[in-house]
Structures are given as C-alpha cells and as structure tokens.
Amino acid sequence: MHKLSIGVLSLALAGMQLSAVAQRKSVNQRVDSVMRLMTLDEKIGQLNQYSGREVTGPLVKQNANMLNDIKLGRVGSMLNVQGVKNTRQVQEVAMQSRLKIPLLFGMDVIHGYKTIFPVPLAESATWDMDLIGLSAHVAAKEAAAVGLHWTFAPMVDIARDPRWGRIMEGAGEDTYLGNEIAKARIIGFQGKKLGGLDAVMACAKHFAAYGAVSSGRDYNDVEMSDHQLWETYLPPFKAAVDAGAATFMSSFNTLNGVPAAASDYLQRDILKGKWNYSGFVVSDWGSIDQMIKWGYVADKKEAALKAILSGCDMDMMSYSYLEHLKDLVSSKKVSVKIIDDAVKRILAKKFELGLFDDPYRFCNEEREKAELNNPEHVNATLKVAQKSIVLLKNQDALLPIKQSVKSIALIGPLGDSKRDMQGAWAGANDADRVVTLLKGLQQKLGNNVRINFIKGATIKTNDTTGIAEAVKIAKDADLVIMALGEAYDMSGESRSRADIGLPGKQNELFNAVQATGKPVVAVLMAGRPLTINNIADKAKAVVYAWFLGDQAGNAIADVLTGKVNPSGKLPVTFPRSVGQIPLTYNDYKTGHPYNANVFQYQTGYIDLPNSPLYAFGYGLSYTTFKYSDLKLSSTAMDKKGKITASFTLTNTGTTAGEEVVQLYVHDPVASVVQPTKKLKGFQKVTLSPGESKTISFNINNETLAFYNQQLKWDSEPGKFKLMIGGSSDKLELQADIELK
C-alpha cells in the first residue's frame, strides 16, 4: 500500500467515526420512536429474512405466503431480489404493512454485480488497496443501482488450506494483509457513510474461523486454541469493525464444539462486548436450524433460543425465529430486551440508508441502466485484472512475447472459455461480456501473428482424443501458450477438493505438447493454489492468472505481450503436495529443526522438502530490483518510541516496473513461541529503469506486539529481527533491534 493511501485511509476512518457518533444519536431517537409502536410480532418479523428469487413471479403457494408475510410486517429483509422493477414491487408490498417499515434487499455481490472483477483471492495478489477498494466501489455502484442495499461481502476469513473451495473469496493466508484488505473492501462497498446511492452495506463474514475447517471440507468443524483464534483469525474481523462494517455474518462451522450462530463467546463476549459493535449479525443460510443436524439442539425452537441469546440478530432462511421466538418470549426463556436490541440494530441500518425517508430511493431505472452500462467499470476491471496476474517463472526471458514470434499455438480447455473466466459467485454475470484469452491475443497481436487454437482436452472428463491434434499444431508454432486449470465451479462454496492438481487429462496434454521441444508458456487459471510441480519444472514460463473476470483475456494478453509488466505477488503459499497442507510462510521453530543436508531426527518429510513450491509474497517481474543500504534511525527503543528502517530500492533492469516491498519481523525469544516471520508492512513502489528510491518503514510497539498467554495484546522487551525483501523466502536485508 502506498504511504498516501495509508494516510487517506486513516483520515477516512477517523472522519467516519466522528460523524457516526452524531448520526447514531439522531438515528437512535428515530429508532426508539418506531419501536414504541411495534407489536412483538412485528419486532420478530424484522429478524426474519427470506430468499425471493421468484417472489414477484407466478404466485405459487410459497411466493404467496412470502408476500402475505411481508404485508403483515413479518419480514425484515429479502435476499436475491434484484433489479429496480422487482425490488420496487416487493417494497410496495412492505409499504402495505401497518407500520410501513421498509425491507432490506441483500445479495452475494462478491466480486462484481454485472461487471465481474477478478475473484477476491486474485485481487489480493495485487497488494494494492486502492485497486481493491475500486473493485468493491464499482460493485457497490451497480448493486445499489439495481435496488440492492446490502452485500454479503467481504469474506475476511484467513485460509491456509487450498483444498477449501472458499479460499477464492478471501485475502489468503496472512493476518496483516487480510486486515488491510478487509478495510479497503468495506470502505469501497460503503463509501464514507451509509446512505450514498453509490454504496451498499458490507457484511464481514464468516464469524469466525471458517477458513480453518477440518480437512478443508466446507461446513466442517473447527478445533482451535484461543491463542490461535485471537492471533490469526480474529484480527481481520476487528479491522472490519474499525472500518465501520454495517453487518456481520456468523459462520457455518462449529468452533470448539459450538455452532458459530450459537456462540456467546463470539457474538456476545467478543463482537458486541469487547469490541462494542453496533451493527447487526445475520446468520448464514439456514445455519440456525442446522444446529439440529450438528446434534447441538433437539429442535428448531431450541435452535432459535440458542441463536437469539448468543447475539445472532437476523435469521436467514431457517424460519426458526418466525416460528418460535414469540413462544420463547411468552415462556420467559427470552427477554423482550433481547428482541428489542436485535430489532434496534436492524432498524438503525434502515434509517442510516435513508429507507424510512424514501423506501424507493434505490429504485431508479435511469440510474440502473447507466451504471450497468458504464464503460468506466470495464476499464476498472481490466486494470485490476492486469495487476492480479502473478508471474511465477520466466526462464530465458521467454516473456514478453518477442517480435520474432510469428505463429502461436494456443492449447487448453480454458483458451476460449467465457464463463470460466468469471469464477464462482459471479453476481448477475453476463458471459457474453467476457473477453477470452484467444480473443485478447487476437486483438493485441492482430494480423502479425497467426494463432491456432485447440482445446486438446477437457477439464471434467478423461477424453484424450484431442491431444494428437494439439501436438500437431504445437509443432507448427514458434511459441505454445497452454491455458490450463480448473473450471469456474470447481472452487467456491461447497467446492472443496481432496486433490488440487490439474483435473482431467490436462497434465497428459501438457506433457505431450511440452515433449515437442517448442517453448511453452503455461497460463494457469483457478480460484485457489493448485499443485503444479510438473508444469513448474517443465514449462519455460508460468503465469498464474486465477479467474480474472470479464476482461481476463485482455489482461492476460497485455502481460504476455509486455504492454503490462506483471507485479502480482502471491497472497497464499503454493504447496508441492496436499500432504504439506496446511502450509504457511509463518511457521514455527521446533526443537528438532529441519536440515536438508543432514539425516537426523528432525521435523520434515522423508519424501518431500518442507519448503513450498512457491512462497507467500512471491512474484516475478520483467525487470529486476535491488535492495540495498538498510539504515535504522536507532537500534533500540522503548514501548512509546519508534524506529525508522530505510533502504534503497533500485530498478536494475531495462523496463519500468512495480515491486511490492515487504517487511517481516521475528521475535526469537518470547513467552509464547513466535512464528519464524510475520508480515508487518508492505508498500507497492513504481520505478523506471535505473531509478532508485528510498523506502521507509516505521516500527513501533504495535509492530512487535502479540497475544501473550493471558490473551493480552502486548510486546515483550528483548531483541527482534527485521527482514525486508520481495517475498517471504527472499529477504535480502536484515537487521536486529531491541525493545527496552
């Protein structure tokens, strides 16, 4: 993140917090005036959320019941109703209720509404908070323009197991990077304050520790120490609170045996207690009555009891609150005060959005048409896609494509696939908008280069009939580009994979084509890290393109042709084998350290190195950078002081480029064993050929602090090691400092 961006973000957060205090007082007064008029049934209705994909369509029984419930004030929110016409029609039904309390309309707008951006994990590879915020802002503009008020994003779960399909929705494995991305996305979605017609409410999810599900299987259990929870998995949620996230979503998993939607510890003690969170919490889809399947409760009534008492304010699609809260209040198992607190939190957001003043203020057909066809949004997604690409290998400077190349064989099932480029959770996508890699290359190279395309293999079958033809066109080409990876629906929710290698017969296709001796560029597309040892060993160049959205083909072609110098860095470690998972850069020291050159009793595998295939923070450029001349303003400080570490970064190549410089810290002796390194700062720096800049990081008590055995966030006196470089496994500058 650029220094300027950090300052702007800090000022924005401070301004938002000050204005929020004054606004909240006025909003609370208005909420109280409505609450005094509400019956218990109407209050419970505000805690009920329905999904209504077809609610305004043919009046089948379910839809008729939904509309009747809305008219009776028994619904507080709808999800999956989209479009100005549809949201207006449903809101008009709400305006027939006794108190005319407007509905909230929500939807999973994860990485774009109509204009589809790279999947969030890909965006995280930019390490550029301005671009990540821009992506969220464009998504919010389009979502708000179609009548939506609320997105169920960002997902801020830390994820260190690429078998988990939902790793594609988040920021990767690191807490520090995750904190920064959480803030950037929330501010991008919400703007300076709620109520803007170009903004929607954000929802920090999934609270909490969903990214650590056992075996990488979605909806599974999580067993975790409190120390690990506080040190690694909770900080991005605290960052979301500090950034003003309007809502939180509880997670599907259990945490140490308790379903998250029923966790007093998470929702009452931490979120609404220690963090003093003023927004509201919505369950994930049906997760309240899923407590029955967990074996945590006997029936929906008990599930409703557990959820409401633990602080889950809104029930998404389980009907548990609607069916049972009134009886629970009558039997005095639930206090009216508990109900009132939840209702107040929801009504406050409706006031902040301006819906009580004008329930149709987000329903403007002219704005809808303009925003869904805004050419600036196309430019934005192209820019984000370009910066999301990570160059993993470039042997003999094969890339960018040389002018001497007159024929290219484009081979692979993802070479001309539109829908796959958009990835999972692609909003109200239009696949016809997608630029494929074939199209992008044709547009960039024009008639100067002949491009022959063949799939050669499929992703979901073992068909090998196309391999022979692929080999034939490869032999006739100057350069081979292979577009390989997953299908769009092989990562995302409920898309865990035990084997994260290339599916189908893609490896066989690659081996046959590579055996021709022609230079091969592997362009890999996926929503997660894949195990790609074979390709990493044999391809001359490897480009990790993720799922880049509507402008995928143009973005990849820009990088392959050198119009754009790749600057992406991995936000997550790439394992050599699933046997290494979970694998992260900030592992711990051990009493039996690994030594690859000596056989002894040690922590390690007998059949594989401990090291990853590609490390967190890794990514190449078409130019080279030199780190030199590290200087410290002091070698010691007290807890109120700071040390400035400065160094020189030089572009030693012949091409302008961007480098993500990374600061890591290690505490070698502590009351709780510390990771070998922790990311504590980064900046994205642009340099012309031969140019040098002095880069500085400030180290203070916060930089050196950790959660101790009493779960207190603090630092301990002693020596610390500072490490600076271009990736977690290549830290070229190091120095020792002391905290007195």
Side-chain angles (χ1 to χ4, degrees):
M1 186 186 233
H2 301 295
K3 290 181 182 177
L4 178 61
S5 302
I6 294 174
V8 170
L9 181 58
S10 299
L11 289 171
L13 286 173
M16 287 162 53
Q17 290 163 355
L18 288 172
S19 63
V21 172
Q23 184 189 31
R24 193 177 301 151
K25 184 176 180 180
S26 171
V27 166
N28 288 344
Q29 291 171 344
R30 299 183 72 184
V31 168
D32 288 341
S33 68
V34 175
M35 291 287 293
R36 286 192 289 268
L37 303 175
M38 297 178 74
T39 65
L40 179 59
D41 284 329
E42 288 167 332
K43 291 176 180 178
I44 292 170
Q46 289 301 301
L47 314 185
N48 178 40
Q49 184 182 60
Y50 280 153
S51 176
R53 288 186 175 89
E54 305 295 336
V55 74
T56 57
L59 290 180
V60 297
K61 182 178 180 181
Q62 183 186 18
N63 295 345
N65 290 340
M66 281 187 184
L67 293 173
N68 188 56
D69 282 347
I70 294 169
K71 193 178 298 185
L72 293 174
R74 289 160 57 87
V75 183
S77 174
M78 298 290 295
L79 71 154
N80 297 324
V81 179
Q82 55 189 301
V84 164
K85 179 181 178 181
N86 291 332
T87 54
R88 177 178 284 275
Q89 286 180 358
V90 178
Q91 195 73 284
E92 286 172 349
V93 178
M95 290 302 102
Q96 298 173 40
S97 65
R98 187 179 75 92
L99 293 180
K100 297 178 172 52
I101 298 175
L103 294 168
L104 289 172
F105 294 105
M107 182 179 167
D108 286 286
V109 182
I110 306 300
H111 55 107
Y113 177 77
K114 194 72 173 181
T115 304
I116 305 303
F117 282 76
V119 297
L121 187 61
E123 290 186 352
S124 301
T126 68
W127 293 56
D128 189 320
M129 302 308 109
D130 293 336
L131 286 182
I132 291 170
L134 173 64
S135 170
H137 178 59
V138 170
K141 286 177 68 177
E142 293 186 356
V146 300
L148 293 170
H149 314 129
W150 186 12
T151 176
F152 303 118
M155 190 191 90
V156 302
D157 295 303
I158 298 300
R160 295 176 169 181
D161 189 335
R163 294 174 299 178
W164 188 49
R166 300 194 82 162
I167 193 172
M168 57 76 65
E169 289 184 56
E173 73 183 57
D174 184 67
T175 302
Y176 184 91
L177 181 60
N179 293 347
E180 298 303 307
I181 290 174
K183 290 185 285 189
R185 296 198 76 207
I186 286 164
I187 293 172
F189 282 131
Q190 295 187 168
K192 293 182 179 179
K193 68 174 185 177
L194 292 183
L197 293 175
D198 61 348
V200 293
M201 294 196 303
C203 183
K205 67 182 188 183
H206 306 83
F207 197 58
Y210 194 22
V213 285
S214 296
S215 306
R217 295 204 318 268
D218 221 345
Y219 319 121
N220 213 358
D221 65 292
V222 173
E223 293 294 317
M224 178 182 293
S225 70
D226 277 349
H227 182 267
Q228 180 80 323
L229 180 69
W230 281 90
E231 185 77 27
T232 303
Y233 291 89
L234 287 182
F237 289 100
K238 180 58 166 63
V241 171
D242 294 341
T247 66
F248 264 54
M249 180 185 287
S250 60
S251 54
F252 278 125
N253 58 282
T254 57
L255 179 61
N256 300 329
V258 178
S263 175
D264 297 347
Y265 180 56
L266 289 174
Q267 297 174 137
R268 290 283 182 207
D269 297 348
I270 298 174
L271 183 61
K272 295 179 177 179
K274 187 178 181 67
W275 295 348
N276 195 30
Y277 180 62
S278 61
F280 72 85
V281 180
V282 61
S283 77
D284 211 332
W285 184 293
S287 64
I288 292 179
D289 68 2
Q290 287 170 16
M291 293 181 205
I292 303 168
K293 295 179 181 178
W294 279 108
Y296 187 70
V297 297
D299 53 36
K300 287 177 71 171
K301 188 172 185 178
E302 190 178 358
L305 174 65
K306 294 284 189 180
I308 194 68
L309 291 181
S310 71
C312 187
D313 302 304
M314 183 177 284
D315 174 9
M316 180 192 287
M317 283 302 293
S318 90
Y319 310 96
S320 300
Y321 285 1
L322 195 66
E323 294 171 6
H324 297 291
L325 280 188
K326 189 171 185 179
D327 287 344
L328 289 168
V329 172
S330 298
S331 62
K332 301 192 183 303
K333 291 183 178 180
V334 174
S335 166
V336 174
K337 289 183 179 180
I338 295 288
I339 304 294
D340 285 353
D341 177 68
V343 176
K344 286 179 179 180
R345 291 169 181 270
I346 294 164
L347 293 181
K349 297 308 170 190
K350 294 183 178 185
F351 274 111
E352 289 172 28
L353 288 167
L355 295 177
F356 276 95
D357 298 321
D358 179 4
Y360 310 112
R361 63 192 304 264
F362 288 84
C363 298
N364 183 302
E365 292 187 3
E366 290 183 6
R367 184 167 65 241
E368 178 180 43
K369 183 177 180 180
E371 292 296 354
L372 296 188
N373 295 281
N374 190 334
E376 293 180 5
H377 298 178
V378 177
N379 295 334
T381 189
L382 174 61
K383 189 173 183 180
V384 177
Q386 291 168 338
K387 299 304 177 75
S388 299
I389 295 169
V390 184
L391 179 63
L392 296 178
K393 183 179 180 181
N394 194 21
Q395 184 179 334
D396 300 328
L398 181 63
L399 294 176
I401 297 170
K402 306 298 185 288
Q403 289 187 352
S404 58
V405 171
K406 299 302 179 184
S407 61
I408 291 175
L410 176 60
I411 299 170
L414 294 172
D416 194 30
S417 175
K418 290 186 175 183
R419 178 62 185 89
D420 288 312
M421 298 302 96
Q422 297 175 315
W425 288 119
N429 65 299
D430 179 359
D432 288 339
R433 291 187 173 201
V434 174
V435 179
T436 66
L437 178 53
L438 175 61
K439 187 69 173 178
L441 286 170
Q442 288 172 336
Q443 291 175 347
K444 288 292 177 296
L445 297 172
N447 296 324
N448 297 325
V449 179
R450 175 172 52 87
I451 301 173
N452 289 325
F453 167 67
I454 185 173
K455 288 184 178 181
T458 62
I459 293 176
K460 296 184 177 180
T461 74
N462 292 323
D463 183 13
T464 60
T465 56
I467 293 180
E469 183 65 22
V471 169
K472 181 179 178 182
I473 72 165
K475 288 179 177 178
D476 292 335
D478 296 330
L479 179 69
V480 178
I481 298 173
M482 300 197 72
L484 309 170
E486 298 181 314
Y488 80 92
D489 57 356
M490 295 179 77
S491 56
E493 185 173 357
S494 192
R495 293 295 182 267
S496 298
R497 291 181 58 195
D499 179 357
I500 54 172
L502 285 177
K505 294 295 183 180
Q506 293 181 88
N507 263 314
E508 287 82 347
L509 172 66
F510 171 81
N511 287 336
V513 170
Q514 191 271 337
T516 65
K518 291 303 176 92
V520 175
V521 178
V523 178
L524 299 166
M525 306 176 196
R528 55 155 60 85
L530 298 173
T531 49
I532 52 170
N533 300 359
N534 180 51
I535 288 174
D537 288 343
K538 296 178 180 178
K540 292 200 71 173
V542 181
V543 174
Y544 216 82
W546 316 95
F547 291 132
L548 292 177
D550 290 350
Q551 287 293 306
N554 282 333
I556 299 169
D558 285 341
V559 166
L560 294 180
T561 59
K563 179 182 178 182
V564 170
N565 190 352
S567 60
K569 300 277 189 173
L570 295 179
V572 62
T573 301
F574 275 47
R576 299 175 186 270
S577 164
V578 292
Q580 294 178 298
I581 296 171
L583 182 66
T584 177
Y585 80 91
N586 59 353
D587 56 355
Y588 291 87
K589 293 189 294 184
T590 167
H592 290 255
Y594 178 70
N595 186 336
N597 300 316
V598 179
F599 176 76
Q600 59 183 4
Y601 293 101
Q602 59 182 349
T603 180
Y605 306 100
I606 64 172
D607 58 345
L608 200 68
N610 285 1
S611 61
L613 181 62
Y614 295 111
F616 172 83
Y618 175 82
L620 300 176
S621 169
Y622 292 150
T623 191
T624 52
F625 298 96
K626 179 183 178 183
Y627 291 73
S628 63
D629 199 22
L630 176 60
K631 296 178 180 177
L632 302 178
S633 61
S634 174
T635 57
M637 69 178 193
D638 59 27
K639 287 192 175 185
K640 294 183 180 179
K642 74 172 183 178
I643 292 173
T644 299
S646 59
F647 64 96
T648 301
L649 182 71
T650 304
N651 182 341
T652 54
T654 58
T655 304
E658 291 179 292
E659 172 73 335
V660 179
V661 297
Q662 302 160 41
L663 167 70
Y664 295 84
V665 172
H666 174 53
D667 185 351
V669 180
S671 61
V672 175
V673 174
Q674 292 297 292
T676 53
K677 58 181 79 77
K678 292 193 287 189
L679 181 70
K680 286 296 180 178
F682 61 88
Q683 297 179 39
K684 198 161 191 177
V685 183
T686 302
L687 293 174
S688 299
E691 183 183 6
S692 295
K693 283 185 181 178
T694 299
I695 312 299
S696 297
F697 288 107
N698 290 326
I699 294 91
N700 55 27
N701 187 63
E702 184 74 10
T703 313
L704 307 179
F706 62 92
Y707 283 100
N708 61 24
Q709 293 183 41
Q710 291 74 42
L711 296 181
K712 180 182 178 183
W713 179 257
D714 201 2
S715 61
E716 295 176 349
K719 292 186 181 298
F720 295 80
K721 184 174 289 295
L722 306 181
M723 298 164 280
I724 296 171
S727 70
S728 64
D729 65 341
K730 191 178 181 184
L731 299 170
E732 302 171 55
L733 303 177
Q734 300 189 15
D736 293 326
I737 63 170
E738 185 177 3
L739 179 65
K740 293 189 178 290

